[in-house]
Amino acid sequence: MDVQEQIRKYITSQPEPKQSDMLELHSAILQVMPACKLWFLDGKNSENKTVSNPNIGYGFQTMKYADGTTREFYQIGMSANTTGISVYILGLKDKTYLAQTYGEKLGKASVSGYCIKFKTLKDININVLKAAIQYRIEHK
């Protein structure tokens, strides 16, 4: 199964209204990043144990760890969680930037150093979310 099929299967496995929200969000992210590399992580480690929620990834970056090792990974992630949807904006150096710049403008969302969590798309301003994604793409 290719990545696009895995993504489609993951999104369509979600209950409504989360499924429709994730489809709309997937399209919105692809509008901001039309030619990006797509990723799908099933949330399982090498021993096939579940260690996280499945994630859809968009874009490409090389992450550098404190010990000097590197890892190829996505820039933007999306995942269903128990109460809604999480969008991950990875690779920003300033961990306060998202909350300070977009937090109040987003609407009903919880914003941490790299994660924007909300219950449904109607609770947030999608244009503000797209602006945060655009900022990440422009600031590698």
Side-chain angles (χ1 to χ4, degrees), residues 23-37:
L23 280 170
E24 187 177 336
L25 191 52
H26 179 65
S27 294
I29 294 169
L30 290 175
Q31 285 173 355
V32 177
M33 306 172 70
C36 70
K37 176 178 178 169

Side-chain angles (χ1 to χ4, degrees), residues 1-138:
M1 188 178 337
D2 74 358
V3 172
Q4 297 225 19
E5 179 64 19
Q6 289 175 302
I7 291 169
R8 188 197 63 73
K9 189 174 178 184
Y10 172 57
I11 292 174
T12 58
S13 75
Q14 301 302 315
E16 287 295 354
K18 194 180 295 187
Q19 181 182 139
S20 293
D21 283 352
M22 288 183 75
L23 280 170
E24 187 177 336
L25 191 52
H26 179 65
S27 294
I29 294 169
L30 290 175
Q31 285 173 355
V32 177
M33 306 172 70
C36 70
K37 176 178 178 169
L38 289 173
W39 304 65
F40 182 76
L41 302 175
D42 63 8
K44 297 183 188 307
N45 67 11
S46 57
E47 287 97 51
N48 209 29
K49 285 185 178 175
T50 300
V51 294
S52 72
N53 291 327
N55 273 267
I56 300 168
Y58 306 85
F60 178 86
Q61 67 177 322
T62 301
M63 295 173 60
K64 293 183 178 90
Y65 293 99
D67 67 2
T69 59
T70 60
R71 175 183 179 195
E72 294 178 349
F73 209 58
Y74 51 80
Q75 296 167 297
I76 307 298
M78 175 177 61
S79 176
N81 61 51
T82 53
T83 59
I85 299 170
S86 296
V87 174
Y88 306 98
I89 301 185
L90 305 174
L92 294 175
K93 291 183 183 20
D94 180 353
K95 298 299 175 207
T96 64
Y97 182 81
L98 279 181
Q100 287 179 347
T101 308
Y102 304 103
E104 289 182 20
K105 299 178 208 161
L106 264 167
K108 285 174 60 177
S110 127
V111 184
S112 72
Y114 65 92
C115 181
I116 299 169
K117 219 186 284 192
F118 51 92
K119 189 168 181 152
T120 67
L121 263 184
K122 71 178 191 301
D123 290 340
I124 66 160
N125 182 329
I126 186 97
N127 290 324
V128 173
L129 180 60
K130 286 164 77 173
I133 292 167
Q134 184 69 43
Y135 176 85
R136 171 59 187 98
I137 301 316
E138 293 172 358

